[in-house]
């Protein structure tokens, strides 16, 4: 199984007035990904400026497409997407 690591940082200096609504919609989207089996894990960053997502069973191109559908994509500061290969020896 392949994994894709996504590191999302939002621009906390320029949050829109409807941030709470965007946050709720973001939660709905990632919950749907979890239900569909695309999202393996979501970690919130203690600095409250983003999250780390681990996606599974998709390629990097599909991950790029999905990330662009996140509500937080519009307020992103940066996004890093990394393909991971599991070390089968460990």
């Amino acid at each position: 199984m392949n994994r894709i690591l996504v590191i999302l940082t939002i621009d906390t200096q320029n949050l829109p007035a409807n941030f709470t609504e965007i946050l709720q919609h973001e939660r709905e989207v990632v919950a749907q990904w979890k239900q569909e089996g695309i999202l393996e894990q979501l970690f919130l960053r203690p600095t409250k400026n983003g999250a780390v997502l681990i996606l599974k069973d998709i390629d990097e191109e599909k991950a790029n497409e999905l990330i662009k559908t996140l509500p937080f994509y519009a307020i992103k500061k940066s996004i890093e997407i990394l393909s991971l290969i599991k070390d089968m020896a460990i």
Side-chain angles (χ1 to χ4, degrees), residues 2-77:
N2 67 316
R3 300 289 188 273
I4 305 288
L5 178 72
V6 179
I7 304 169
L8 169 66
T9 304
I10 60 173
D11 185 2
T12 56
Q13 301 297 330
N14 296 302
L15 295 177
N18 66 337
F19 177 75
T20 304
E21 294 170 28
I22 295 170
L23 175 60
Q24 181 58 37
H25 189 214
E26 181 86 3
R27 287 178 175 154
E28 292 167 0
V29 171
V30 295
Q32 181 64 37
W33 291 358
K34 183 74 171 175
Q35 185 178 6
E36 293 172 6
I38 296 167
L39 177 68
E40 181 172 87
Q41 190 64 53
L42 170 71
F43 297 95
L44 300 177
R45 294 171 49 190
T47 54
K48 298 183 180 182
N49 68 340
V52 175
L53 299 90
I54 300 176
L55 307 176
K56 65 180 182 175
D57 298 332
I58 62 171
D59 60 22
E60 196 170 334
E61 183 178 334
K62 180 65 175 178
N64 274 303
E65 291 173 18
L66 285 173
I67 295 306
K68 290 177 183 175
T69 68
L70 285 173
F72 277 179
Y73 188 81
I75 59 172
K76 74 183 180 319
K77 186 173 187 178

